[in-house]
């Protein structure tokens, strides 16, 4: 540098000097600008926190679509896994039925089911201590939850005639445990209103209606027009009238799903509800009268106001459509003595009088003493006076042939061997029906006589009642009957055909070796 002319050096590096001078000036101006805004925000530290927060929000905004899609898929897998398992529905109903018996006056209204435990949510001011094996979980400003292992759940079945649980899936919790929420629609106010975001509640109503239609007996769910896509429902007033006229079945009231309530509001819905409402309604909007609300927002969350229940329900329609055929019906109630008595009375009327139960000493069902006494004293009648001979189902009868003595007058030209003026039927009365199986049956080895027939409870114990069956040894086609081989049958010495006026002709009997 000692031998370099400064002016010449500046002239040679003029472009670089100008460039770096501009860079320094711009940097200094930017520093002054940043310092100005930092001082307005309260200093450098406050400005740094503000910048970090804004940066995180910007990153979350760009990542939110991907995170929402992943959350949707996760909740969908949880719901599909729970809804397609009948054990999840059964455990939810059993938990509600078990807690109802021990938690009064508190009322269970919802159930959370995961792989290992079942949690029941209670409503009420006074909740008793949780008995074994239930474990109470404290809640802030809410009644405690009762939790039990699914393997230790009490085996309780809803009783007939009571307000049985009717649970439907309403969403799931976005947690690693993956609990699915079931709401009991048989408790609380008679009207369930779905409010909040219009698109979310419009998708939730047909989902709940489809579950009710699948779970309840046929005819217990009435869907009005505009609820299910492609389903031409009835107008709301006609649907309400039909649902009101539908009786409850085994403690389950009918349900009405509609987009709006009838206008004007029926007095039954405006007045105070009964202890067990005769009709329950699912409707869009805020509802009127005594209403329980489900609030759905645009982010897919579902809340039950007044309870700690906050769920994700945006994947519920897709999950229900995938598992609708595998959703089980409502758990049948346990039969009660009062409910089963009419059935037994009808069966008793259908069973012939005089039948008894099986004799435990002999091991063979027998008839009651009254029936045996009736058979001893009852007079025996002929086959002609008894009416047509019963023919079992599946047996074809031959076409009756014309009578041989159709042209002869029985008064002027009697048949051979019959005195004039006497009735041919009285001249040769039919042989009495043999007892205990009839002739031709060999005796049992080690016994002195023929083996009596076995008479099962619920059948006719009288052996004469079996004499009309085709092929029976003691019947009309047997060896001793009027239709079998004998003096009055087709192969007898008289050669007469059976009288068509005396009843239905019997089929020819099989040959006896």
């Amino acid at each position: 540098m000692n031998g370099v002319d400064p002016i010449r050096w500046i002239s040679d590096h003029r472009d670089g000097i100008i460039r770096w001078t501009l860079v320094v000036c711009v940097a200094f101006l930017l520093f002054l600008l940043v310092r100005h805004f930092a001082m307005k925000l309260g200093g450098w530290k406050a400005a740094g926190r503000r910048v970090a927060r804004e940066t995180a929000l910007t990153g979350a905004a760009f990542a939110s679509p991907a995170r929402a899609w992943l959350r949707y898929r996760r909740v969908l897998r949880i719901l599909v896994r729970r809804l397609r398992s009948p054990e999840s529905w059964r455990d939810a109903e059993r938990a509600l039925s078990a807690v109802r018996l021990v938690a009064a006056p508190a009322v269970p209204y919802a159930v959370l089911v995961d792989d290992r435990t079942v949690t029941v949510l209670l409503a009420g001011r006074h909740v008793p201590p949780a008995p074994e094996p239930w474990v109470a979980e404290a809640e802030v400003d809410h009644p405690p939850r009762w939790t039990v292992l699914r393997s230790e759940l009490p085996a309780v079945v809803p009783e007939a005639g009571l307000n049985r649980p009717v649970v439907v899936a309403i969403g799931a919790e976005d947690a690693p445990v993956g609990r699915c929420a079931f709401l009991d629609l048989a408790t609380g106010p008679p009207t369930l209103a779905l409010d909040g975001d219009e698109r979310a509640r419009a998708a939730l109503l047909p989902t709940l209606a489809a579950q009710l239609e699948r779970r309840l007996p046929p005819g217990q769910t009435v869907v009005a027009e505009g609820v299910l896509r492609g389903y031409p429902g009835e107008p709301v007033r006609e649907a309400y009238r039909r649902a009101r006229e539908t009786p409850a079945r085994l403690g389950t009231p009918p349900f009405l799903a509609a987009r709006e309530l009838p206008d004007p509001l029926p007095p039954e819905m405006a007045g105070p509800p009964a202890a067990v409402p005769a009709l329950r309604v699912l409707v869009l909007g805020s509802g009127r009268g005594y209403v329980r609300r489900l609030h759905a927002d645009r982010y897919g969350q579902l809340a039950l106001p007044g309870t700690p229940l906050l769920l994700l329900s945006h994947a519920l329609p897709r999950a229900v459509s995938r598992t609708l055929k595998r959703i089980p019906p409502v758990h049948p109630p346990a039969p009660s003595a009062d409910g089963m008595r009419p059935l037994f009375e009808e069966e008793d009327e259908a069973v012939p009088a005089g039948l008894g139960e099986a004799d435990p000493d002999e091991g063979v069902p027998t008839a009651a003493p009254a029936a045996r006494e009736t058979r001893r004293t009852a007079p025996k009648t002929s086959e002609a006076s008894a009416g047509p001979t019963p023919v079992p189902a599946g047996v074809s009868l031959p076409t009756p042939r014309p009578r041989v003595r159709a042209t002869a007058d029985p008064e002027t030209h009697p048949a051979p061997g019959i005195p004039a003026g006497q009735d041919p039927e009285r001249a040769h009365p039919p042989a009495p029906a043999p007892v205990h199986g009839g002739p031709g049956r060999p005796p049992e080895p080690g016994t002195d006589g023929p083996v009596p027939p076995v008479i099962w409870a619920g059948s006719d114990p009288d052996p004469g009642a079996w004499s009309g069956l085709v092929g029976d040894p003691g019947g009309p086609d047997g060896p001793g009957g009027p239709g079998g081989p004998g003096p009055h049958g087709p192969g007898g010495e008289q050669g007469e055909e059976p009288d068509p006026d005396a009843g239905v002709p019997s089929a020819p009997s099989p040959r006896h070796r």
Side-chain angles (χ1 to χ4, degrees):
M1 292 294 296
N2 295 332
V4 177
D5 186 6
I7 297 176
R8 184 178 180 82
W9 184 86
I10 293 173
S11 177
D12 294 340
H13 300 82
R14 182 175 55 185
D15 294 340
I17 294 173
I18 294 175
R19 187 182 302 111
W20 282 105
T21 302
L22 291 177
V23 169
V24 171
C25 291
V26 171
F28 183 71
L29 291 177
L30 290 177
F31 172 75
L32 294 179
L33 184 63
V34 170
R35 182 179 179 278
H36 171 72
F37 284 105
M39 294 300 104
K40 291 183 65 175
L41 293 176
W44 289 103
K45 292 184 179 181
R49 291 192 297 269
R50 178 68 178 274
V51 171
R53 183 168 62 252
E54 294 296 335
T55 303
L57 292 176
T58 303
F62 278 98
S64 61
R67 294 177 61 184
W69 184 80
L70 293 176
R71 182 172 61 252
Y72 172 83
R73 298 295 301 177
R74 182 168 56 253
V75 174
L76 179 61
R77 287 193 298 269
I78 294 173
L79 289 173
V80 170
R81 185 168 65 252
R82 295 287 176 263
L83 299 186
R84 71 182 179 183
S85 174
E87 290 77 12
S88 299
W89 298 86
R90 293 291 179 257
D91 290 347
E93 294 173 342
R94 288 170 55 194
L96 289 172
S97 300
V99 172
R100 280 185 181 182
L101 300 176
V102 296
V107 179
Y109 63 91
V111 184
L112 301 176
V113 181
D114 58 21
D115 292 331
R116 297 179 59 255
T117 62
V118 176
T119 302
V120 179
L121 281 69
L122 300 172
R125 296 182 180 180
H126 305 284
V127 179
E132 293 292 339
W134 299 92
V135 177
E137 300 178 0
E139 289 283 343
V140 179
D141 299 333
H142 294 287
R145 301 181 178 185
W146 287 11
T147 304
V148 68
L149 295 176
R150 296 180 65 174
S151 58
E152 300 178 359
L153 191 64
V156 178
V157 180
E159 297 183 8
L162 299 179
N163 192 22
R164 296 192 295 144
V166 180
V167 297
V168 293
I170 58 175
E173 291 182 344
D174 186 16
V177 179
R179 296 192 295 185
C180 179
F182 296 92
L183 182 65
D184 185 10
L185 298 184
T187 60
T191 301
L192 178 64
L194 309 176
D195 61 356
D197 184 67
E198 184 176 357
R199 295 182 59 185
R201 68 183 186 181
L204 188 61
L205 178 62
T207 303
L208 300 182
Q211 295 182 62
L212 289 176
E213 180 68 23
R214 175 67 179 177
R215 303 212 65 208
L216 296 182
Q220 292 296 108
T221 304
V222 181
V223 181
E225 59 181 355
V227 175
L228 297 177
R229 183 182 303 176
Y231 178 77
E234 302 177 358
V236 61
R237 294 203 63 86
E238 297 181 5
Y240 170 77
R241 189 179 300 109
R242 186 161 70 91
R244 186 184 58 184
E245 296 174 354
T246 303
R249 298 180 59 182
L250 298 176
T252 302
F255 283 79
L256 170 64
R259 297 184 62 88
E260 58 182 3
L261 294 176
D263 190 21
L265 191 67
E268 297 83 1
M269 302 182 64
V276 180
L279 173 65
R280 291 189 174 272
V281 182
L282 277 70
V283 67
L284 290 180
S286 58
R288 298 170 60 185
Y290 292 81
V291 180
R292 177 170 58 178
R293 297 181 180 178
L294 283 176
H295 183 82
D297 59 10
R298 60 177 182 174
Y299 302 105
Q301 293 182 337
L302 182 68
L304 185 62
T307 67
L309 204 59
L310 182 61
L311 308 167
L312 290 175
S313 62
H314 56 326
L316 184 63
R318 179 65 60 85
V320 171
S321 65
R322 290 185 179 183
T323 61
L324 186 61
K325 294 183 179 180
R326 304 185 65 176
I327 294 179
V330 175
H331 197 285
S336 62
D338 296 338
M340 296 298 293
R341 186 176 295 111
L343 301 179
F344 287 111
E345 289 177 357
E346 294 178 1
E347 293 178 1
D348 293 342
E349 294 176 0
V351 175
L355 290 184
E357 298 180 354
D359 190 353
D361 298 333
E362 299 181 1
V364 178
T366 57
R372 293 194 295 267
E373 187 67 24
T374 304
R375 292 198 305 272
R376 294 193 187 99
T377 59
K380 295 183 179 180
T381 58
S382 61
E383 292 292 329
S385 61
T389 304
V391 179
V395 177
S396 59
L397 298 177
T399 305
R401 290 174 292 179
R403 299 173 60 183
V404 177
R405 55 187 178 92
T407 57
D409 190 359
E411 297 182 358
T412 58
H413 302 280
I418 301 177
Q422 186 175 359
D423 190 359
E425 295 182 359
R426 295 184 178 179
H428 300 283
V435 183
H436 301 309
R441 184 174 183 180
E444 189 76 7
T447 59
D448 297 334
V451 180
V454 177
I455 304 174
W456 298 103
S459 61
D460 194 343
D462 189 0
W466 300 90
S467 60
L469 297 180
V470 177
D472 186 79
D477 300 319
H488 304 287
E493 60 183 17
Q494 300 295 337
E496 297 178 356
E497 296 295 330
D499 190 359
D501 299 333
V504 180
S506 302
S509 60
R511 295 181 178 178
H512 296 274
R513 296 180 180 180

